[in-house]
Amino acid sequence: MSTHPLAGRKAPRNILPDIPALVAAYYEHIPDAADAHQRISFGTSGHRGSSLKQTFNQNHILAICQAICEYRRVQGYTGPLFLGRDTHALSQPATMTALEVFAANSVETVIQADNGYTPTPVISHAILTHNRNRTSGLADGVVVTPSHNPPEDGGFKYNPPNGGPADTDTTRWIADRANEHLANKLMGIKRLPYARALASHHVHAYDFVMPYVRDLATILDMEAIQRARLKIGVDPMGGSGIGFWEPIAEEYGLDIDVVNKNVDPTFSFMRVDRDGKIRMDCSSPYAMAGLIELKDRFDIAFGNDPDYDRHGIVTRQAGLIKPNDYLAAAISYLFSTRTGWNSHLAMGKTMVTTSMIDRVAGAMGRNVVEVPVGFKWFVPHLLEGTCGFGGEESAGASFLRKDGTVWTTDKDGIIMDLLAAEMTAVTGKDPATLYKELEDRFGTPVYQRIQAPASHEQKKALKQLSPDMVKATTLAGEPILAKQTRAAGNDAPFGGLKVVAPNGWFAARPSGTEEIYKIYAESFKGENHLQEILDQAQEMVNKALA
């Protein structure tokens, strides 16, 4: 993919979204329930879309929320529903719509005090904290966010009482029921006017910030960070965690410099991503260019996407660390230092995450649990304490508390940020240096993810990829060891195909949240070998699309 001329530069005014038009379209545009593109669809992380495309409008949220209320009744969930939102323009009106429906259905709904923002991991943490040792009155949650997507997008995701992203059965039930409501022109929707809903005894304001902040000492060595007197830089990137850093600094005596305190729904302060779009992708060196330019001011620095389930780690030496590199270094550090973790804990990764983790696990005598793309697949492993860590190549991860119990079952960018500070404080080496030591032991992988537009029909075709379509017995000159359409860790369908050789692999799959397909590939034998793998993968995808 070519690099746009604006990549890495501050967003010019002419590409900023028209926020009044975006919000007006949320209320005015009516989705066509007969059009598959305008129906409700939960991908790997909730329902996403744009009001301007009739894919994220008031009617969608009314229908989804009524379906969630009905699902709660079927499941017998009678505890509070924790409702969080990020800083995207459509998140505020969607949250207002949600409150109207939840209050009308007598759902006890808890929101951040003072109309504040709440990160995804904080909602997961709140659900699990409430539900600990409970068998009834279970809480669940909703986060209104399209994650790192562009400013004009909206998103809505549901977390059941296990605290993590809802599984496929749950999202299918909610989406099917919500689409029935759309088709029936919202005839069965219960709704109160917003002012009445907000004033009702079903809506409660609560400070999510300090309970989460105080609990950080149970998962991280905050004292070590304080003792090291690290100079820490934070770019909240206008996201929902902006109100957490000052309380963290005060609670633990840390030297944290928040370099950007702006919250702006146009995200005008962002640097443009590689494709010329504004995208709050903290794993992109283009989107993170502003913080990278400040790297020499800090011992360690980090940024996050708007709902704070992803992380981007910046060091003086390396600039922005590649997500796979940081995951491998973090896993190696955690499994070496967490004496409260039992010896049987496995390392969790998705099928498209670096196989450096497999080499680290082999050297440490640990098992690897490999799951499909989507953090929901890690939920049971973190909840039951069978995996100490679960991570995705897209810069999302969570891990267990120091005593080996669950922290969150959704991705947590805040703990991954602070873990980088802990690693630096305890070892005297930043995560990039620690990763280089892994390369010295296990080899240097090169990794690439490419993507291209794909229609709904093309994405459907890619989901049908099968081992039979790979006639070759070798991959870039090495014998093929496996052709996988299901994950080895839980036998769940991958939604694509992965082909593995001794020193390289590729995986091809349609995106669960965007109209694109992706090819992932990795080689431990250098760039030329990687390109051979990618060429072979692209040939297979082209045949499938034809």
Side-chain angles (χ1 to χ4, degrees), residues 425-484:
V426 171
T427 68
K429 305 170 185 177
D430 67 38
T433 302
L434 294 172
Y435 177 72
K436 181 62 172 62
E437 292 177 357
L438 294 181
E439 286 189 328
D440 292 341
R441 290 181 63 192
F442 303 114
T444 302
V446 284
Y447 181 101
Q448 189 172 349
R449 182 183 72 184
I450 60 175
Q451 61 189 48
S455 67
H456 179 75
E457 291 74 20
Q458 289 174 321
K459 289 173 65 176
K460 188 175 180 180
L462 286 172
K463 283 186 177 181
Q464 308 306 315
L465 290 171
S466 70
D468 295 338
M469 298 181 70
V470 183
K471 303 301 182 184
T473 58
T474 60
L475 176 64
E478 293 190 320
I480 290 176
L481 303 178
K483 306 171 187 177
Q484 302 168 325

Side-chain angles (χ1 to χ4, degrees), residues 35-42 47 55 59-64 171 174-182:
D35 184 339
H37 297 285
Q38 297 182 34
R39 287 165 64 87
I40 291 155
S41 176
F42 281 76
H47 173 77
T55 51
N59 284 12
H60 291 111
I61 306 307
L62 289 168
I64 292 171
T171 55
I174 292 171
D176 288 349
R177 184 66 182 129
N179 282 318
E180 289 177 16
H181 284 304
L182 281 184

Side-chain angles (χ1 to χ4, degrees), residues 485-499:
T485 56
R486 306 184 77 87
N490 60 359
D491 198 39
F494 172 51
L497 175 68
K498 181 176 182 180
V499 178

Side-chain angles (χ1 to χ4, degrees), residues 103-148:
N105 281 271
S106 302
V107 173
E108 299 300 314
T109 307
V110 181
I111 57 174
Q112 173 61 36
D114 301 322
N115 196 32
Y117 312 108
T118 312
T120 287
V122 177
I123 293 296
S124 179
H125 179 270
I127 293 169
L128 293 175
T129 300
H130 177 89
N131 292 342
R132 189 179 299 136
N133 300 322
R134 287 179 181 266
T135 57
S136 62
L138 297 177
D140 54 0
V142 162
V143 187
V144 186
T145 174
S147 189
H148 64 292

Side-chain angles (χ1 to χ4, degrees), residues 134-175:
R134 287 179 181 266
T135 57
S136 62
L138 297 177
D140 54 0
V142 162
V143 187
V144 186
T145 174
S147 189
H148 64 292
N149 278 28
E152 59 269 24
D153 283 5
F156 203 92
K157 57 185 182 181
Y158 173 67
N159 288 36
N162 62 25
D167 63 25
T168 304
D169 290 340
T170 299
T171 55
R172 184 184 299 115
W173 194 102
I174 292 171

Side-chain angles (χ1 to χ4, degrees), residues 219-466:
I219 188 169
L220 293 154
D221 191 345
M222 302 300 289
E223 291 182 359
I225 302 173
Q226 192 277 333
R227 286 194 305 269
R229 300 180 182 274
L230 298 178
K231 180 69 175 176
I232 300 170
V234 174
D235 185 352
M237 296 172 70
S240 58
I242 193 164
F244 282 72
W245 293 111
E246 288 186 5
I248 288 171
E250 292 173 7
E251 181 74 14
Y252 297 105
L254 305 184
D255 183 4
I256 295 177
D257 182 1
V258 179
V259 302
N260 171 23
K261 297 183 179 181
N262 295 322
V263 175
D264 170 11
T266 69
F267 291 89
S268 59
F269 48 79
M270 282 297 302
R271 301 299 180 91
V272 178
D273 207 357
R274 180 177 180 175
D275 60 357
K277 294 184 178 181
I278 301 173
R279 185 181 291 106
M280 290 63 71
D281 182 356
C282 49
S283 67
S284 165
Y286 302 98
M288 289 280 282
L291 185 59
I292 294 169
E293 289 170 3
L294 303 177
K295 65 184 177 64
D296 292 334
R297 288 171 45 183
F298 305 108
D299 297 306
I300 194 78
F302 25 79
N304 300 89
D305 65 337
D307 73 315
Y308 265 65
D309 68 347
R310 302 187 189 205
H311 56 270
I313 311 300
V314 174
T315 72
R316 286 195 181 113
Q317 170 197 333
L320 180 66
I321 306 175
K322 294 176 182 177
N324 273 321
D325 297 359
Y326 180 51
L327 292 181
I331 283 179
S332 177
Y333 171 81
L334 285 168
F335 279 82
S336 299
T337 61
R338 291 308 191 251
T339 57
W341 289 7
N342 74 59
S343 60
H344 303 296
L345 282 180
M347 302 174 178
K349 61 186 279 276
T350 64
M351 293 177 70
V352 298
T353 302
T354 178
S355 55
M356 174 65 89
I357 292 171
D358 300 81
R359 299 189 178 198
V360 170
M364 300 184 79
R366 299 280 183 163
N367 291 327
V368 172
V369 173
E370 190 170 82
V371 300
V373 174
F375 206 78
K376 62 188 175 185
W377 301 110
F378 291 120
V379 172
H381 299 285
L382 292 169
L383 198 60
E384 296 161 11
T386 56
C387 275
F389 182 100
E392 298 185 308
E393 58 79 36
S394 54
S398 188
F399 52 94
L400 300 181
R401 296 172 191 258
K402 289 185 283 189
D403 66 0
T405 59
V406 65
W407 168 257
T408 63
T409 45
D410 214 328
K411 296 173 288 190
D412 190 335
I414 295 174
I415 62 167
M416 291 301 292
D417 292 344
L418 292 170
L419 177 64
E422 179 191 324
M423 293 164 68
T424 304
V426 171
T427 68
K429 305 170 185 177
D430 67 38
T433 302
L434 294 172
Y435 177 72
K436 181 62 172 62
E437 292 177 357
L438 294 181
E439 286 189 328
D440 292 341
R441 290 181 63 192
F442 303 114
T444 302
V446 284
Y447 181 101
Q448 189 172 349
R449 182 183 72 184
I450 60 175
Q451 61 189 48
S455 67
H456 179 75
E457 291 74 20
Q458 289 174 321
K459 289 173 65 176
K460 188 175 180 180
L462 286 172
K463 283 186 177 181
Q464 308 306 315
L465 290 171
S466 70

Side-chain angles (χ1 to χ4, degrees), residues 492-530:
F494 172 51
L497 175 68
K498 181 176 182 180
V499 178
V500 183
N503 289 291
W505 58 269
F506 77 80
R509 59 178 287 273
S511 170
T513 57
E514 300 176 85
E515 292 300 304
I516 58 175
Y517 73 84
K518 300 178 182 180
I519 297 176
Y520 313 77
E522 184 175 48
S523 168
F524 275 80
K525 296 177 68 175
E527 294 285 353
N528 291 339
H529 187 245
L530 177 67

